Amino acid sequence: MAAVPRARLLSLMKTQCEVFSTTYNPDGIRMGNKILRQRLKGPTLAKYYPPRLPTVNTLAKEFKKYHLETIDEVAEDRLEHLAGVKSRGKGAPKKIRRKLTAKEKSAKK
């Protein structure tokens, strides 16, 4: 029995892909079609987690148009604590605005 020529097999494969609506890929290059055909996971993950509850910040943004003032006690406590820590000299160091050169780094040590 004689071997079938490659061109004939490729034309058969091309026709087969057209009939079954698949991608014609004679070289077997990895194209990601298997992943792209899968069902999307985003909606399932979104349904898994409960909806977010409104926070003080979101409520403040909503009621800003009515010129209502909101008080965020947690944020105020945090800022008050940071001010106290900074006044004792225990706060975070200041950020450096520019990059140091090698000479400045060695002089600093």
Side-chain angles (χ1 to χ4, degrees), residues 35-107:
I35 306 316
L36 293 172
R37 278 196 311 263
Q38 290 177 359
R39 202 176 78 221
L40 296 176
K41 296 176 184 174
T44 308
L45 288 174
K47 280 193 288 185
Y48 177 79
Y49 294 102
R52 288 190 172 189
L53 298 174
T55 62
V56 176
N57 288 339
T58 57
L59 291 175
K61 287 177 186 175
E62 288 292 322
F63 289 109
K64 197 171 196 174
K65 57 187 169 192
Y66 300 116
H67 306 291
L68 296 174
E69 184 180 333
T70 56
I71 300 170
D72 189 359
E73 291 181 7
V74 174
E76 285 184 10
D77 287 344
R78 180 181 163 275
L79 292 175
E80 189 177 304
H81 171 72
L82 289 176
V85 167
K86 204 172 223 179
S87 69
R88 293 193 310 265
K90 303 286 187 178
K94 290 184 178 179
K95 292 184 180 179
I96 297 176
R97 294 284 181 201
R98 60 183 176 85
K99 289 189 176 184
L100 298 176
T101 62
K103 189 176 183 181
E104 290 173 328
K105 285 182 186 178
S106 64

